[in-house]
Amino acid sequence: MIYTASNQIRLTNVSLVRLKKGKKRFEIACYKNKVLEWRSGIETDLDEVLQIPNVFLNVSKGQTAPSAELAKAFGKDKSVDDIILEILNKGELQVGEKERAAQLDRVHNEVVSIVASKLVDPRTKRVYTTGMIEKALDMLSSQAHQQGDKSASTSGGAGTPATGEDAEAKPRTKEHNWTGVVTTKSAKSQALEAMKALIAHQPIPVTRARMRLRITCSTSVLKQAVKAAKGGDAEGEQKAPGTVKDKILSYVEQVETQDVLGSEWEVVGFVEPGAFKGLSDFVGNETKGQGRVEVLDMAVTYED
């Protein structure tokens, strides 16, 4: 229940969003679940998100934030509506234990589902069940926590700092560690982190599902020699750059069809996701607008 100078306002089904600005903590009262919908773009009507369009120092006590405090913390030129939007977009959502557990479970299921649709067994090219992916991620999470406990215990003593190759190797492994799902990041970004960790550590044999592409190019460009790289990174290319056609086919892991239709050459095939940008850049730059790359399928998998 909120008390104001003139009346009582009873708020039910409330979620608080808090933002610390300067030395003060400001709060707004929102409807449950609506904050996440607003931040994800599902809900666009602010009236459907806010229980009351006020900024509070303490919602439960009905203590509204004085104008002087708002001006001091957010700036004199900022309106109450703009301050509410800043708190809504940047503030910390306060949720109960049951709600937090349900939210974590939703994000977890979404992450597992995304990962299962993007990774395959490298031998059979078939997808894994969500249960298999879940177990593999649990293995990585357990390993990461065990390593964290070990490093915490060893760092307590006066150990010798790592040098040479060992010092360089530690940061690299951290980049692809998986410690579990959190609610502060999107499911999509966490799924990408999970895939990197699975591919790096291979608790089960996995690889990214290949993309199916159609590449078309004018036949007049195909036999042109590829310019040698200016830098010294690709020595093989400098020695034998080959033709535009050779270079395009070098990106294609498996050719499905290849044909000439009039003055246009077309190839449909499978490409590793990591090679897509290089292929697109090459076709765009080398053919000078006479070639294009079309995505037919973002992730080709086989299911039983």
Side-chain angles (χ1 to χ4, degrees):
M1 188 176 291
I2 288 182
Y3 297 91
T4 65
S6 59
N7 61 0
Q8 277 184 17
I9 302 175
R10 184 182 295 275
L11 295 181
T12 58
N13 191 32
V14 65
S15 281
L16 303 184
V17 182
R18 291 177 184 159
L19 180 68
K20 192 172 182 180
K21 196 84 171 179
K23 295 182 180 180
K24 290 283 184 180
R25 188 183 67 184
F26 300 94
E27 300 179 345
I28 56 175
C30 303
Y31 291 104
K32 285 187 177 181
N33 303 324
K34 285 296 181 179
V35 176
L36 295 177
E37 289 183 9
W38 171 270
R39 290 178 174 178
S40 64
I42 296 171
E43 180 60 71
T44 56
D45 186 351
L46 193 59
D47 291 335
E48 294 293 323
V49 181
L50 297 176
Q51 291 229 12
I52 185 168
N54 287 347
V55 179
F56 296 86
L57 292 178
N58 190 309
V59 168
S60 61
K61 293 180 180 179
Q63 186 181 359
T64 56
S67 299
E69 294 283 2
L70 294 175
K72 185 178 178 181
F74 294 92
K76 294 179 181 179
D77 298 330
K78 206 152 194 178
S79 68
V80 174
D81 287 344
D82 288 338
I83 293 171
I84 287 174
L85 283 174
E86 182 173 340
I87 297 172
L88 181 58
N89 292 325
K90 297 181 180 179
E92 182 183 350
L93 177 62
Q94 309 298 306
V95 293
E97 283 301 318
K98 288 184 179 178
E99 192 175 1
R100 185 179 291 109
Q103 183 184 343
L104 192 65
D105 194 46
R106 284 195 301 271
V107 176
H108 173 80
N109 290 338
E110 193 174 347
V111 167
V112 171
S113 179
I114 293 171
V115 173
S117 69
K118 300 290 184 185
L119 295 184
V120 294
D121 183 321
R123 185 177 61 83
T124 63
K125 306 300 180 187
R126 294 185 181 278
V127 294
Y128 285 103
T129 63
T130 53
M132 287 287 289
I133 294 295
E134 202 165 12
K135 287 179 182 177
L137 288 174
D138 285 344
M139 288 168 62
L140 292 185
S141 180
S142 298
Q143 289 172 8
H145 288 305
Q146 287 172 6
Q147 288 172 1
D149 292 340
K150 286 180 182 177
S151 62
S153 61
T154 54
S155 62
T160 306
T163 56
E165 292 180 2
D166 291 338
E168 290 180 3
K170 286 180 182 176
R172 287 196 202 112
T173 54
K174 277 187 179 180
E175 287 178 6
H176 300 304
N177 276 354
W178 176 253
T179 55
V181 170
V182 295
T183 57
T184 53
K185 295 181 183 178
S186 71
K188 186 176 180 181
S189 66
Q190 292 185 82
L192 288 173
E193 292 173 11
M195 285 189 281
K196 288 178 182 177
L198 287 169
I199 290 170
H201 297 283
Q202 296 285 318
I204 55 176
V206 292
T207 188
R208 285 288 297 269
R210 298 176 300 175
M211 300 175 74
R212 184 168 174 261
L213 307 176
R214 177 189 287 120
I215 307 138
T216 53
C217 181
S218 171
T219 53
S220 62
V221 179
L222 287 181
K223 293 183 180 180
Q224 291 180 8
V226 175
K227 296 173 185 175
K230 291 181 180 179
D233 295 336
E235 294 178 6
E237 282 188 301
Q238 288 180 334
K239 291 176 183 177
T243 63
V244 169
K245 181 180 179 181
D246 293 334
K247 183 66 176 176
I248 290 173
L249 289 176
S250 72
Y251 285 101
V252 181
E253 191 178 85
Q254 179 184 342
V255 174
E256 189 177 274
T257 62
Q258 187 178 173
D259 204 357
V260 174
L261 307 170
S263 61
E264 197 169 63
W265 172 72
E266 176 185 286
V267 60
V268 174
F270 301 94
V271 175
E272 288 292 331
F276 176 69
K277 188 178 184 302
L279 172 60
S280 295
D281 290 345
F282 173 78
V283 171
N285 296 331
E286 203 70 30
T287 67
K288 297 178 181 177
Q290 297 185 63
R292 65 183 181 276
V293 178
E294 180 185 354
V295 178
L296 301 178
D297 198 329
M298 282 296 293
V300 177
T301 59
Y302 299 91
E303 299 185 25
D304 291 322

